[in-house]
Amino acid sequence: MKTMQQRLLGPTGLSVGIIGMGCMPLSVNGRPSEEEGIKTIHAALEQGITLFDTADAYCLNAGENGHNERLLSKALRNHPEAIVATKGGHIRPEGRWETDGRPDHLRQACEDSLRALGVEAITLYQFHRPDPKVPFAESVGAVADLQREGKIVHVGLSNVSVAQLEEARNIVKVASVQNRMNLFDHSSMDVLKRCEELGIAFLPYSPLNGMGKAGGIGSNETLSRIAGAYDASPQQIALAWLIQLSPVILPIPGASKIANIVNSAGAAKVTLSADDLSVLGTIASA
Ligand SMILES: NC(=O)c1ccc[n+]([C@@H]2O[C@H](COP(=O)([O-])OP(=O)(O)OC[C@H]3O[C@@H](n4cnc5c(N)ncnc54)[C@H](OP(=O)(O)O)[C@@H]3O)[C@@H](O)[C@H]2O)c1
């Protein structure tokens, strides 16, 4: 197993490989076979990746809820170094993405995730997305209760604003925030800055601009030129930019192919110059 630069997962005290793996592509439309999926997870471990991001909703539809969690549980059985971060709060009726932030649902979802992952307590449980039908404090309160009961070790949030982060902090100790961020999308920069001030881990999701778009990011001329100068792929530069953007960032690139997670892991070795960092920072507004 290769070693990878380590970074603290916010205030948890846990040290993880600086690049994590987003596991959604292993369980949604276009997913590989279970055997290929497990090989991809093992390839990530081989590169020194130890943080695996999942959710109960990473599946094709409600009938197979927990598909991704069961896959990870199977693949990581003999890998105590791996840390699995899951989420609850999304449901997949007939394959649609809907929210359910009711306390009763979150309790049931957490208990199902415990079973799917085969653990006594979930290391990092992230509330997936605020539900407009349920007061945010009620959803967060339910997750705090689950933590008090020992079913969750650390609590994370996802898809939140700065105001929601502050509201949650009045209810529970927040270990991490997972929002969308990449070279082309800076909409959560204010949330990142607040996480940095508080020492909370920030997990940028869709760090390569999302499934179906990641392969094409090299068509951006600036990115492609800088990638050429470092003899790196555009995806590696996109991840290196995130890593250097803030000491609390841990990108979680998704992958269903071995070659892609191996390539992404290589970003941990790329150090961008201050000039290139600032030029890359202008891509979103260009
Ligand atoms: N909290 C939320 O609401 C939320 C929302 C979306 C995603 N997420 C999480 O964030 C993770 C990452 O986001 P994402 O999967 O949406 O998007 P992404 O990481 O931006 O892109 C994923 C795609 O990039 C391709 N890829 C990966 N590494 C590559 C490389 N080095 N070169 C070329 N292509 C590469 C993969 O293709 P192949 O599949 O063909 O390997 C994969 O499908 C997800 O897996 C999930 O865990 C969370």
Side-chain angles (χ1 to χ4, degrees), residues 21-26 30 40 53-55 58 68 87 90 126 128-129 158-159 178-180 182 204-216 233 235-236 239 252-265:
M21 175 172 175
C23 297
M24 183 169 73
L26 297 174
T40 308
D53 180 71
T54 181
Y58 293 169
N68 202 243
K87 314 182 200 77
H90 258 301
Q126 305 157 96
H128 207 148
R129 189 180 293 272
S158 182
N159 296 298
Q178 181 176 145
N179 278 11
R180 192 173 201 279
N182 58 52
Y205 78 70
S206 300
L208 303 174
N209 209 24
M211 285 179 71
K213 295 192 216 119
S233 70
Q235 291 78 12
Q236 288 175 327
L239 295 170
I252 45 166
S256 59
K257 296 190 184 68
I258 293 175
N260 282 337
I261 197 62
V262 170
N263 183 264
S264 288

Side-chain angles (χ1 to χ4, degrees), residues 18-253:
I18 197 158
I19 293 174
M21 175 172 175
C23 297
M24 183 169 73
L26 297 174
S27 290
V28 296
N29 282 331
R31 70 191 185 194
S33 66
E34 178 179 289
E35 193 189 348
E36 283 304 309
I38 290 176
K39 281 186 188 164
T40 308
I41 295 164
H42 287 169
L45 284 166
E46 189 55 38
Q47 296 301 311
I49 287 177
T50 50
L51 176 65
F52 294 86
D53 180 71
T54 181
D56 58 349
Y58 293 169
C59 56
L60 295 179
N61 55 56
E64 56 164 34
N65 238 28
H67 178 278
N68 202 243
E69 295 172 318
R70 287 188 293 275
L71 184 72
L72 278 169
S73 167
K74 202 166 178 179
L76 299 175
R77 201 161 285 155
N78 298 315
H79 293 278
E81 74 277 22
I83 289 171
V84 176
T86 194
K87 314 182 200 77
H90 258 301
I91 50 171
R92 304 295 311 281
E94 290 158 30
R96 297 189 302 278
W97 288 90
E98 293 181 6
T99 48
D100 190 344
R102 290 173 303 143
D104 283 355
H105 170 74
L106 291 172
R107 172 166 295 277
Q108 185 63 53
C110 177
E111 281 166 5
D112 290 347
S113 288
L114 283 166
R115 262 189 302 278
L117 292 168
V119 295
E120 305 258 304
I122 294 168
T123 307
L124 178 64
Y125 194 74
Q126 305 157 96
F127 175 41
H128 207 148
R129 189 180 293 272
D131 182 347
K133 305 180 294 301
V134 180
F136 183 63
E138 276 183 26
S139 303
V140 176
V143 177
D145 285 344
L146 292 162
Q147 185 185 39
R148 274 189 288 274
E149 292 166 28
K151 293 176 175 160
I152 292 171
V153 184
H154 301 288
V155 173
L157 303 171
S158 182
N159 296 298
V160 291
S161 63
V162 171
Q164 286 164 332
L165 169 59
E166 297 302 342
E167 191 179 349
R169 287 179 61 237
N170 288 326
I171 300 167
V172 74
K173 183 172 176 185
V174 178
S176 66
V177 171
Q178 181 176 145
N179 278 11
R180 192 173 201 279
M181 185 177 290
N182 58 52
L183 276 176
F184 309 93
D185 182 351
H186 292 190
S187 54
S188 278
M189 216 42 105
D190 57 341
V191 180
L192 168 64
K193 289 296 154 210
R194 190 64 186 130
C195 286
E196 203 174 295
E197 286 164 7
L198 297 165
I200 291 173
F202 186 93
L203 279 52
Y205 78 70
S206 300
L208 303 174
N209 209 24
M211 285 179 71
K213 295 192 216 119
I217 61 173
S219 62
N220 178 281
E221 270 178 42
T222 306
L223 177 54
S224 154
R225 176 179 55 75
I226 293 177
Y230 287 82
D231 201 15
S233 70
Q235 291 78 12
Q236 288 175 327
I237 298 297
L239 295 170
W241 176 77
L242 281 168
I243 289 170
Q244 286 179 247
L245 190 59
S246 165
V248 297
I249 279 195
L250 286 157
I252 45 166

